[in-house]
Every structure is written in structure tokens, then in C-alpha cells.
């Protein structure tokens, strides 16, 4: 197993901007760290569950993946567009809602986030299963990848906390940029481009 390639793949995918990371940044900007942590815990739990499902059900999922992927792309893209609208609306005081900062929304986002689904469906069979197939080793890899994901979420949380004053001072621009990133993610996931 090429451990370096495995770690680079995990780090690049989890640390780069995506719907979950953008929502974490937005949540830190508009809410407390405690609220953002609720979202992070939900996202981390779902991430770990998806990795475990990939490890356990890889062959079954591969057979139904084309149909699931199409539905997931459509639902995920629509949800991301909804989040982009909510992020953009946070420019006004009355529009600030804490929906995006709950444990449940963090959990839900991962289950409909095509970036995460595709990552969890590729990392285990592509990097782990060719070399390890025993349940204890699969468990170790699921835990390691989940920890890498958690560290990525925490990096975005810390970034948001450190630059919170700047982001709040430039709220309209920051929200617009985050909303545009979310729209871009939705378009890329939908397969339109």
C-alpha cells in the first residue's frame, strides 16, 4: 500500500472547499463556536458512518451506484443551492437562522453531499481493500480517515474563528463569495459542466 498517496488523497479531499467546509465557515462567522461544533460533530459522525458503510457494503453499493449517484447528484445539488441561498441571505439580521449549525444538519449534509459520498466510495476500495480486508484493519482505516475528516472540519472552524472579525466586517462580500462557492459546488456535483 502506498501510504503517502493514501494520506495525500484523504487530506486533499477533506481539506479542500466543499459544501460541508463552507457551511462550517459560514456558521462560525454568524454563530458561536459551540453552534459550529454541533454541526462538526454531526458531519463527523455521518462521515464515519459513510466510511464504515463503504467498507462493509462495497460490493453491494458498486452494483447500485449508477442509480444512487444520479439521485444523489440531483438531491445534493438542490440542497447545496438552498444552502447557498441561506448563506447569501445571512447578510440581513432577520435572515440569520441557525438551521445550518445544528447537529442534524451536519449529519444530513454528509449523507447528501456527493463529494463525501464519492470519496467514501473510492477511498476504501481504491486504497485499502486491495491490501487489507480483515474487519480489524478496515476498522482502523475507517477510524483514521474519520479523524482526518474531523481535523479538516476543525481547520475550517479555526480559520473561521481566527478571521471572524474580518469576515463580519466584510459580511456581504464574505457571504456572497461563500454562496458562490456553494453554487459552484452544486453545479459541479450536478454534472451540468
Amino acid at each position: 500500500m502506498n501510504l503517502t498517496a493514501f494520506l495525500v488523497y484523504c487530506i486533499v479531499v477533506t481539506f479542500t472547499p466543499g459544501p460541508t467546509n463552507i457551511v462550517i465557515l459560514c456558521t462560525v462567522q454568524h454563530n458561536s463556536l459551540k453552534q459550529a461544533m454541533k454541526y462538526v460533530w454531526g458531519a463527523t459522525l455521518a462521515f464515519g458512518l459513510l466510511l464504515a458503510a463503504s467498507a462493509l457494503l462495497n460490493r453491494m453499493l458498486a452494483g447500485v451506484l449508477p442509480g444512487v449517484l444520479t439521485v444523489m447528484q440531483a438531491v445534493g445539488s438542490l440542497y447545496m443551492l438552498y444552502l447557498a441561498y441561506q448563506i447569501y441571505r445571512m447578510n440581513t439580521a432577520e435572515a440569520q437562522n441557525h438551521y445550518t449549525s445544528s447537529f442534524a444538519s451536519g449529519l444530513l449534509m454528509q449523507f447528501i453531499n456527493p463529494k463525501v459520498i464519492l470519496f467514501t466510495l473510492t477511498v476504501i476500495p481504491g486504497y485499502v481493500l486491495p491490501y487489507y480486508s480483515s474487519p480489524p484493519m478496515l476498522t482502523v482505516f475507517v477510524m483514521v480517515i474519520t479523524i482526518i475528516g474531523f481535523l479538516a472540519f476543525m481547520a475550517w472552524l479555526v480559520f473561521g474563528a481566527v478571521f471572524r472579525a474580518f469576515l463580519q466586517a466584510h459580511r456581504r462580500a464574505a457571504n456572497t463569495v461563500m454562496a458562490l462557492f456553494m453554487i459552484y459546488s452544486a453545479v459541479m456535483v450536478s454534472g451540468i459542466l
Side-chain angles (χ1 to χ4, degrees):
M1 175 181 198
N2 186 339
L3 191 58
T4 302
F6 165 75
L7 291 174
V8 167
Y9 180 61
C10 291
I11 290 169
V12 166
V13 171
T14 58
F15 278 81
T16 54
T20 302
N21 295 338
I22 294 168
V23 171
I24 290 169
L25 184 62
C26 185
T27 300
V28 172
Q29 178 188 352
H30 295 287
N31 301 308
S32 67
L33 284 174
K34 183 178 178 182
Q35 283 296 113
M37 278 306 300
K38 290 178 186 177
Y39 186 89
V40 167
W41 286 121
T44 302
L45 175 61
F47 187 62
L49 291 172
L50 287 167
L51 285 165
S54 176
L56 295 173
L57 307 172
N58 187 50
R59 291 188 184 166
M60 184 179 85
L61 289 175
V64 297
L65 183 61
V68 171
L69 184 57
T70 303
V71 172
M72 183 184 60
Q73 285 175 312
V75 172
S77 294
L78 290 173
Y79 185 65
M80 285 185 242
L81 290 173
Y82 168 76
L83 288 175
Y85 175 71
Q86 291 299 317
I87 289 168
Y88 180 76
R89 280 189 55 222
M90 286 185 175
N91 287 324
T92 60
E94 70 274 2
Q96 287 196 16
N97 95 29
H98 295 261
Y99 174 74
T100 59
S101 62
S102 71
F103 178 86
S105 64
L107 191 76
L108 174 65
M109 172 58 109
Q110 296 300 70
F111 284 109
I112 63 170
N113 181 347
K115 178 184 174 186
V116 170
I117 299 289
L118 292 174
F119 171 73
T120 59
L121 288 175
T122 58
V123 71
I124 298 291
Y127 287 93
V128 179
L129 287 177
Y131 306 98
Y132 305 100
S133 60
S134 70
M137 286 307 294
L138 291 176
T139 301
V140 167
F141 278 101
V142 166
M143 289 171 44
V144 167
I145 300 166
T146 301
I147 290 168
I148 292 170
F150 175 74
L151 293 174
F153 300 151
M154 290 304 295
W156 281 84
L157 186 114
V158 169
F159 176 81
V162 168
F163 292 101
R164 183 178 183 160
F166 175 81
L167 293 171
Q168 287 180 341
H170 300 63
R171 184 180 304 233
R172 175 159 299 277
N175 288 347
T176 301
V177 167
M178 286 186 283
L180 289 172
F181 273 128
M182 189 68 78
I183 291 168
Y184 173 75
S185 294
V187 170
M188 295 309 291
V189 160
S190 71
I192 293 173
L193 295 180

PDB file of all heavy atoms in Angstrom, residues 23 27 29 32 68 116 130 145 175 179 188 190:
ATOM      1  N   VAL A  23     -20.128  25.542   4.858  1.00  0.00           N
ATOM      2  CA  VAL A  23     -21.154  25.752   5.878  1.00  0.00           C
ATOM      3  C   VAL A  23     -20.496  25.937   7.251  1.00  0.00           C
ATOM      4  O   VAL A  23     -20.937  26.774   8.049  1.00  0.00           O
ATOM      5  CB  VAL A  23     -22.182  24.601   5.894  1.00  0.00           C
ATOM      6  CG1 VAL A  23     -23.111  24.709   7.094  1.00  0.00           C
ATOM      7  CG2 VAL A  23     -22.999  24.622   4.607  1.00  0.00           C
ATOM      8  N   THR A  27     -21.036  29.165   9.457  1.00  0.00           N
ATOM      9  CA  THR A  27     -21.612  29.002  10.787  1.00  0.00           C
ATOM     10  C   THR A  27     -20.762  29.703  11.841  1.00  0.00           C
ATOM     11  O   THR A  27     -21.281  30.373  12.729  1.00  0.00           O
ATOM     12  CB  THR A  27     -21.763  27.502  11.128  1.00  0.00           C
ATOM     13  OG1 THR A  27     -22.623  26.906  10.162  1.00  0.00           O
ATOM     14  CG2 THR A  27     -22.356  27.305  12.507  1.00  0.00           C
ATOM     15  N   GLN A  29     -18.860  32.216  11.317  1.00  0.00           N
ATOM     16  CA  GLN A  29     -18.994  33.653  11.082  1.00  0.00           C
ATOM     17  C   GLN A  29     -20.259  34.211  11.736  1.00  0.00           C
ATOM     18  O   GLN A  29     -20.238  35.300  12.286  1.00  0.00           O
ATOM     19  CB  GLN A  29     -19.020  33.934   9.582  1.00  0.00           C
ATOM     20  CG  GLN A  29     -19.208  35.401   9.244  1.00  0.00           C
ATOM     21  CD  GLN A  29     -19.424  35.630   7.767  1.00  0.00           C
ATOM     22  OE1 GLN A  29     -19.300  34.738   6.957  1.00  0.00           O
ATOM     23  NE2 GLN A  29     -19.776  36.846   7.416  1.00  0.00           N
ATOM     24  N   SER A  32     -21.998  31.008  17.240  1.00  0.00           N
ATOM     25  CA  SER A  32     -20.912  30.747  18.181  1.00  0.00           C
ATOM     26  C   SER A  32     -20.118  29.510  17.774  1.00  0.00           C
ATOM     27  O   SER A  32     -20.559  28.706  16.965  1.00  0.00           O
ATOM     28  CB  SER A  32     -21.501  30.525  19.583  1.00  0.00           C
ATOM     29  OG  SER A  32     -22.252  29.321  19.600  1.00  0.00           O
ATOM     30  N   VAL A  68     -28.028   5.275  -7.714  1.00  0.00           N
ATOM     31  CA  VAL A  68     -27.931   6.061  -6.491  1.00  0.00           C
ATOM     32  C   VAL A  68     -27.214   7.372  -6.767  1.00  0.00           C
ATOM     33  O   VAL A  68     -27.628   8.430  -6.283  1.00  0.00           O
ATOM     34  CB  VAL A  68     -27.203   5.255  -5.383  1.00  0.00           C
ATOM     35  CG1 VAL A  68     -26.888   6.121  -4.185  1.00  0.00           C
ATOM     36  CG2 VAL A  68     -28.028   4.059  -4.966  1.00  0.00           C
ATOM     37  N   VAL A 116     -18.543  13.908  -0.548  1.00  0.00           N
ATOM     38  CA  VAL A 116     -18.261  12.962   0.530  1.00  0.00           C
ATOM     39  C   VAL A 116     -18.637  11.539   0.123  1.00  0.00           C
ATOM     40  O   VAL A 116     -17.885  10.595   0.375  1.00  0.00           O
ATOM     41  CB  VAL A 116     -18.999  13.376   1.833  1.00  0.00           C
ATOM     42  CG1 VAL A 116     -18.922  12.286   2.887  1.00  0.00           C
ATOM     43  CG2 VAL A 116     -18.411  14.669   2.367  1.00  0.00           C
ATOM     44  N   PRO A 130      -7.488  -3.368  -1.605  1.00  0.00           N
ATOM     45  CA  PRO A 130      -6.507  -4.191  -2.321  1.00  0.00           C
ATOM     46  C   PRO A 130      -5.422  -4.787  -1.412  1.00  0.00           C
ATOM     47  O   PRO A 130      -4.772  -5.755  -1.774  1.00  0.00           O
ATOM     48  CB  PRO A 130      -5.882  -3.215  -3.318  1.00  0.00           C
ATOM     49  CG  PRO A 130      -6.915  -2.164  -3.515  1.00  0.00           C
ATOM     50  CD  PRO A 130      -7.601  -2.034  -2.182  1.00  0.00           C
ATOM     51  N   ILE A 145      -9.371   7.642   8.688  1.00  0.00           N
ATOM     52  CA  ILE A 145      -9.950   8.564   7.704  1.00  0.00           C
ATOM     53  C   ILE A 145     -10.968   9.492   8.369  1.00  0.00           C
ATOM     54  O   ILE A 145     -11.036  10.684   8.054  1.00  0.00           O
ATOM     55  CB  ILE A 145     -10.589   7.792   6.530  1.00  0.00           C
ATOM     56  CG1 ILE A 145      -9.528   6.943   5.818  1.00  0.00           C
ATOM     57  CG2 ILE A 145     -11.237   8.749   5.537  1.00  0.00           C
ATOM     58  CD1 ILE A 145     -10.100   5.897   4.873  1.00  0.00           C
ATOM     59  N   ASN A 175     -20.241  36.541   2.564  1.00  0.00           N
ATOM     60  CA  ASN A 175     -21.398  35.684   2.316  1.00  0.00           C
ATOM     61  C   ASN A 175     -21.619  35.454   0.824  1.00  0.00           C
ATOM     62  O   ASN A 175     -21.980  34.358   0.403  1.00  0.00           O
ATOM     63  CB  ASN A 175     -22.656  36.281   2.943  1.00  0.00           C
ATOM     64  CG  ASN A 175     -22.648  36.178   4.445  1.00  0.00           C
ATOM     65  OD1 ASN A 175     -21.844  35.462   5.024  1.00  0.00           O
ATOM     66  ND2 ASN A 175     -23.528  36.911   5.083  1.00  0.00           N
ATOM     67  N   ALA A 179     -21.507  31.885  -0.847  1.00  0.00           N
ATOM     68  CA  ALA A 179     -22.682  31.428  -1.604  1.00  0.00           C
ATOM     69  C   ALA A 179     -22.286  31.040  -3.030  1.00  0.00           C
ATOM     70  O   ALA A 179     -22.760  30.028  -3.556  1.00  0.00           O
ATOM     71  CB  ALA A 179     -23.757  32.518  -1.619  1.00  0.00           C
ATOM     72  N   MET A 188     -21.008  21.731 -10.156  1.00  0.00           N
ATOM     73  CA  MET A 188     -20.022  20.684 -10.432  1.00  0.00           C
ATOM     74  C   MET A 188     -20.546  19.309 -10.059  1.00  0.00           C
ATOM     75  O   MET A 188     -20.325  18.331 -10.768  1.00  0.00           O
ATOM     76  CB  MET A 188     -18.707  20.968  -9.694  1.00  0.00           C
ATOM     77  CG  MET A 188     -18.002  22.221 -10.176  1.00  0.00           C
ATOM     78  SD  MET A 188     -17.767  22.305 -11.975  1.00  0.00           S
ATOM     79  CE  MET A 188     -16.583  21.015 -12.221  1.00  0.00           C
ATOM     80  N   SER A 190     -23.710  18.400  -9.912  1.00  0.00           N
ATOM     81  CA  SER A 190     -24.868  18.033 -10.722  1.00  0.00           C
ATOM     82  C   SER A 190     -24.460  17.379 -12.049  1.00  0.00           C
ATOM     83  O   SER A 190     -25.271  16.697 -12.667  1.00  0.00           O
ATOM     84  CB  SER A 190     -25.725  19.256 -11.011  1.00  0.00           C
ATOM     85  OG  SER A 190     -25.057  20.116 -11.934  1.00  0.00           O
TER      86      SER A 190
END
